[in-house]
Amino acid sequence: MFREKIKVLDCTIRDGGLINNHDFDLKFVRHVYAAVSAAGVDYMELGYKNSRKLLPAEEFGMWKFCADDDIRRVVEGVESPAKISVMVDVGRVDPDEIKPRKESPVQMIRVASYVKEIDKAIALVNEFHDKGYETTVNVMAISRALETEVDEALAQLEQEAKADVVYVVDSFGSLYQETTEFLVKKYKSVLKSKEIGIHTHNNLQLGFSNTIEAVIHGANYLDATIYGIGRGAGNCPLELLLGFLKNPKFDLRPILEIIQQEFLPLREKIEWGYIIPYAITGMFDEHPRAAIAVRNTPKKDDYRDFYESIADASAE
Amino acid sequence: MFREKIKVLDCTIRDGGLINNHDFDLKFVRHVYAAVSAAGVDYMELGYKNSRKLLPAEEFGMWKFCADDDIRRVVEGVESPAKISVMVDVGRVDPDEIKPRKESPVQMIRVASYVKEIDKAIALVNEFHDKGYETTVNVMAISRALETEVDEALAQLEQEAKADVVYVVDSFGSLYQETTEFLVKKYKSVLKSKEIGIHTHNNLQLGFSNTIEAVIHGANYLDATIYGIGRGAGNCPLELLLGFLKNPKFDLRPILEIIQQEFLPLREKIEWGYIIPYAITGMFDEHPRAAIAVRNTPKKDDYRDFYESIADASAE
């Protein structure tokens, strides 16, 4: 697959940070930035730029807040084609703390929003756009929203939002290729002035497949993480995506090298990937929180019990 | 997805046996048979029914040969809807050793064949059909065959073979959903009197996705293995497939239970699944043998080196 307009966004540090409260050390983050840069990836997302005033700051590492100076320490001295992206959550960001683009090391701000918060997301994204940033709206938990609400939100995004990109976000890792196709086609049909993005989770081993499916139907902004790191089942693996995309600007080798050097040892310390309780929440289109909880108990591998508890809860 | 005609074939013991020379002990095989039976799976394949005279028999466990008496020891006393399947390799089976269906515990014989051996495969499958068995031809390494050879083989299978099912076999785990769609549609257009089957490998985390893709385009015989066990990257995971298929005859819970009881500990002893060298051979549409070899050396995790060696070999 080669299409000039396709952009790859590495969110290793941002989505991986959901496992460890955004507490990666600077050396690790610089190593990832160097590898992603050498691989020719278009964007790298470091974390959330939420406000220390709106969260219990002592509970999180620095990538929950992405201070401009911390970002500068990451990028300093590294030759890179990758633009820096940060994410913000509706209700956890103070837009007054976001400097104009020209005074910041950040090039892109992505607003994560549920369908029902779309008004607030549009206000935020327009403010960031006016400060000079590239912007996206990432519509979360799309699989659980009512179709009429999705239709209304998309129409509003097209008419009112200055965002460059609107993302399909498979928060629960429950999409199959047919549902991905349905959503991307719906987005394309309404969002005529925007690019479409895709962010998948890998609960059902469909993260990479759903990303390809979205590309086939016209999505041009593709999220992925090194070795698929991310909360729960993780994300679309960057190495598979770069192996699929035929654009010669990408070089897979730096990613393979850092998997060996950093991600194999890290996987021994924190877990993500194909783990049965996450597959089960994906099958039932449920938030992974019950699976995350059970993985911290002695019953972490009682898969039949867990299945029955989720099936019962879903039937209620 | 619900379609009455869909049949699921568990090949845990057969494809898993490629990792350990078909040397699973009887207790383990009986446990798998009980779980697969309780789950309502349609077929279970135990191994190869090759001839002890045509192979160095001392190098293999009993499931390379699947003696009728060994099969009887597996099924004895277990209530089951699952029919027993065995595979044979062209050139390694002596058809005279295969008893008529009525004297055997086997219901289905599957002939694995490369495109260039299709004449021999047809002769074998017709002989087994005439002995009363359900039969399939599993066309291996389809991604590497020339299209004109595939077309000729399919036409010949349609005209001359008494097989009930012809399989698309993604031997190298290199198919994407578009190539899977292309092949299944091609099979359907030629093999009007046969059912189509799909057997995937999981090198690119696309084993499950390609199985769904084949179902969408009309394949009705679906291979899978528990926890995705199989040589190299393994296969389509049975638990994901049963979770996707909506036929109420399937029950996922016995499979989840046996994953916990048997496959988690087994995975500590033998490896399969998402392992980077297998992903690399999949990307290059190469046999996994180089990846299997490197995994038995101290350089097993030198992914960049391995990538470069495969890229060089492919470019020669």
Side-chain angles (χ1 to χ4, degrees):
Chain A
M1 175 63 68
F2 175 76
R3 195 162 63 221
E4 185 85 41
K5 290 183 85 174
I6 287 176
K7 305 286 181 195
V8 174
L9 185 147
D10 171 83
C11 49
T12 296
I13 301 300
R14 200 271 303 164
D15 213 312
L18 293 171
I19 315 176
N20 73 351
N21 286 329
H22 309 281
D23 206 17
F24 294 114
D25 67 36
L26 188 66
K27 189 168 162 237
F28 178 81
V29 177
R30 273 181 65 84
H31 195 179
V32 172
Y33 180 66
V36 164
S37 299
V41 169
D42 301 284
Y43 295 85
M44 174 163 164
E45 188 162 81
L46 290 176
Y48 291 86
K49 208 167 177 53
N50 288 328
S51 173
R52 287 181 180 275
K53 290 178 291 186
L54 299 172
L55 282 166
E58 65 286 0
E59 289 177 17
F60 298 99
M62 63 180 143
W63 309 111
K64 189 76 168 180
F65 309 103
C66 287
D68 287 349
D69 283 345
D70 290 333
I71 295 175
R72 288 191 184 97
R73 276 188 276 272
V74 171
V75 302
E76 199 171 26
V78 182
E79 189 83 25
S80 178
K83 296 178 181 175
I84 294 294
S85 167
V86 293
M87 186 166 265
V88 301
D89 290 317
V90 171
R92 293 180 181 164
V93 60
D94 177 356
D96 294 338
E97 293 175 2
I98 308 286
K99 295 224 173 87
R101 159 75 190 88
K102 285 186 179 164
E103 299 165 32
S104 165
V106 172
Q107 281 104 326
M108 178 186 263
I109 301 181
R110 308 204 301 170
V111 178
S113 171
Y114 292 102
V115 168
K116 57 186 59 164
E117 303 167 327
I118 210 74
D119 290 300
K120 291 177 188 164
I122 291 171
L124 279 174
V125 89
N126 288 353
E127 192 164 346
F128 299 141
H129 172 88
D130 292 344
K131 286 187 176 178
Y133 293 95
E134 296 180 38
T135 55
T136 80
V137 176
N138 292 32
V139 186
M140 297 188 294
I142 189 80
S143 60
R144 294 294 285 270
L146 283 176
E147 189 164 357
T148 172
E149 293 173 339
V150 174
D151 290 343
E152 199 179 312
L154 293 179
Q156 220 180 323
L157 283 165
E158 175 63 8
Q159 287 155 24
E160 302 168 18
K162 297 176 182 171
D164 305 293
V165 189
V166 180
Y167 268 80
V168 175
V169 182
D170 179 19
S171 300
F172 302 157
S174 60
L175 295 183
Y176 291 90
Q177 52 259 58
E178 284 177 305
T179 32
T180 302
E181 174 181 352
F182 171 79
L183 287 167
V184 173
K185 283 183 171 170
K186 180 192 280 291
Y187 273 48
K188 287 285 284 182
S189 71
V190 180
L191 297 162
K192 302 220 180 271
S193 70
K194 320 284 187 204
E195 290 288 348
I196 311 301
I198 180 81
H199 178 95
T200 63
H201 285 119
N202 211 10
N203 299 60
L204 300 174
Q205 297 192 4
L206 295 174
F208 176 42
S209 158
N210 283 330
T211 303
I212 297 175
E213 195 69 20
V215 170
I216 290 171
H217 298 291
N220 281 332
Y221 280 71
L222 315 178
D223 283 13
T225 64
I226 297 174
Y227 210 41
I229 192 175
R231 182 168 64 179
N235 295 65
C236 172
L238 180 64
E239 62 277 12
L240 295 179
L241 185 59
L242 296 186
F244 171 72
L245 296 170
K246 298 288 181 277
N247 192 324
K249 77 179 179 182
F250 296 126
D251 183 358
L252 187 55
R253 293 170 303 169
I255 304 302
L256 297 175
E257 202 163 23
I258 198 173
I259 290 173
Q260 176 186 3
Q261 292 166 341
E262 298 278 9
F263 289 81
L264 286 187
L266 183 63
R267 182 63 184 77
E268 300 296 314
K269 286 184 230 152
I270 56 176
E271 72 172 25
W272 70 88
Y274 185 60
I275 297 165
I276 295 293
Y278 298 118
I280 292 169
T281 59
M283 284 176 200
F284 284 96
D285 194 12
E286 291 284 350
H287 191 285
R289 72 174 67 83
I292 293 167
V294 84
R295 294 297 294 169
N296 290 312
T297 72
K299 296 186 70 175
K300 63 190 255 196
D301 290 319
D302 286 0
Y303 303 145
R304 185 179 177 130
D305 278 4
F306 184 75
Y307 176 90
E308 286 170 348
S309 73
I310 296 291
D312 287 351
S314 281
E316 266 167 16
Chain B
M1 176 63 69
F2 174 76
R3 194 159 65 220
E4 183 86 41
K5 290 183 86 175
I6 287 176
K7 305 287 181 194
V8 174
L9 185 147
D10 171 83
C11 50
T12 296
I13 301 300
R14 202 269 304 164
D15 213 312
L18 294 172
I19 316 178
N20 73 350
N21 286 330
H22 310 281
D23 206 18
F24 293 115
D25 67 36
L26 186 66
K27 187 167 165 242
F28 177 81
V29 177
R30 272 180 66 84
H31 194 179
V32 172
Y33 179 67
V36 163
S37 299
V41 169
D42 301 283
Y43 295 85
M44 175 164 161
E45 187 162 83
L46 290 176
Y48 292 86
K49 207 167 176 55
N50 288 329
S51 173
R52 287 181 180 274
K53 290 178 293 184
L54 299 172
L55 282 166
E58 66 285 0
E59 290 176 17
F60 299 99
M62 64 180 141
W63 309 112
K64 188 76 168 180
F65 309 104
C66 286
D68 286 349
D69 283 346
D70 289 332
I71 294 175
R72 288 191 185 96
R73 276 188 278 271
V74 172
V75 301
E76 200 170 27
V78 182
E79 188 84 25
S80 179
K83 296 178 180 175
I84 294 295
S85 167
V86 293
M87 186 166 266
V88 302
D89 290 316
V90 171
R92 291 180 182 164
V93 60
D94 176 357
D96 295 339
E97 292 175 2
I98 309 287
K99 296 223 171 90
R101 160 75 191 88
K102 286 189 179 161
E103 299 165 32
S104 164
V106 173
Q107 280 104 327
M108 177 187 265
I109 300 180
R110 308 204 300 170
V111 177
S113 171
Y114 292 101
V115 168
K116 58 186 57 166
E117 303 168 326
I118 210 73
D119 289 302
K120 291 176 188 165
I122 291 171
L124 278 174
V125 88
N126 288 352
E127 192 165 346
F128 300 140
H129 172 88
D130 292 344
K131 285 184 176 180
Y133 292 95
E134 295 179 37
T135 54
T136 80
V137 176
N138 291 32
V139 186
M140 297 188 293
I142 190 82
S143 61
R144 294 296 285 268
L146 284 176
E147 190 165 357
T148 172
E149 293 173 338
V150 174
D151 290 344
E152 198 179 312
L154 294 180
Q156 219 181 325
L157 283 165
E158 174 63 10
Q159 286 156 25
E160 303 169 17
K162 297 175 183 172
D164 305 292
V165 189
V166 179
Y167 268 79
V168 175
V169 182
D170 180 18
S171 300
F172 302 158
S174 60
L175 295 182
Y176 291 89
Q177 51 259 55
E178 284 178 303
T179 32
T180 302
E181 175 181 353
F182 171 79
L183 287 167
V184 172
K185 283 183 172 170
K186 180 191 280 291
Y187 273 50
K188 287 285 284 184
S189 72
V190 181
L191 297 162
K192 302 219 180 274
S193 69
K194 321 284 187 205
E195 291 287 349
I196 312 301
I198 179 81
H199 179 94
T200 63
H201 285 117
N202 212 10
N203 299 60
L204 301 174
Q205 296 193 5
L206 295 173
F208 176 42
S209 159
N210 283 330
T211 303
I212 298 174
E213 194 69 23
V215 170
I216 291 170
H217 297 291
N220 281 331
Y221 279 71
L222 315 179
D223 284 13
T225 65
I226 297 173
Y227 209 40
I229 192 175
R231 183 168 61 177
N235 296 66
C236 172
L238 180 63
E239 61 278 11
L240 295 179
L241 185 59
L242 296 185
F244 172 73
L245 296 169
K246 298 288 181 276
N247 192 324
K249 78 179 178 182
F250 297 125
D251 183 356
L252 187 55
R253 294 170 301 171
I255 305 302
L256 297 175
E257 200 163 26
I258 198 173
I259 290 173
Q260 176 186 3
Q261 293 166 341
E262 299 278 9
F263 288 80
L264 285 186
L266 184 62
R267 182 63 183 77
E268 300 295 314
K269 287 184 229 153
I270 57 176
E271 73 171 25
W272 71 86
Y274 185 61
I275 297 164
I276 295 293
Y278 299 118
I280 292 170
T281 59
M283 285 177 200
F284 284 96
D285 194 13
E286 291 283 350
H287 191 286
R289 72 173 69 82
I292 293 167
V294 84
R295 292 299 293 169
N296 289 313
T297 73
K299 297 186 69 172
K300 63 190 246 189
D301 290 319
D302 286 359
Y303 303 146
R304 185 178 176 131
D305 278 4
F306 184 75
Y307 177 89
E308 286 170 349
S309 74
I310 297 292
D312 287 350
S314 282
E316 268 167 13

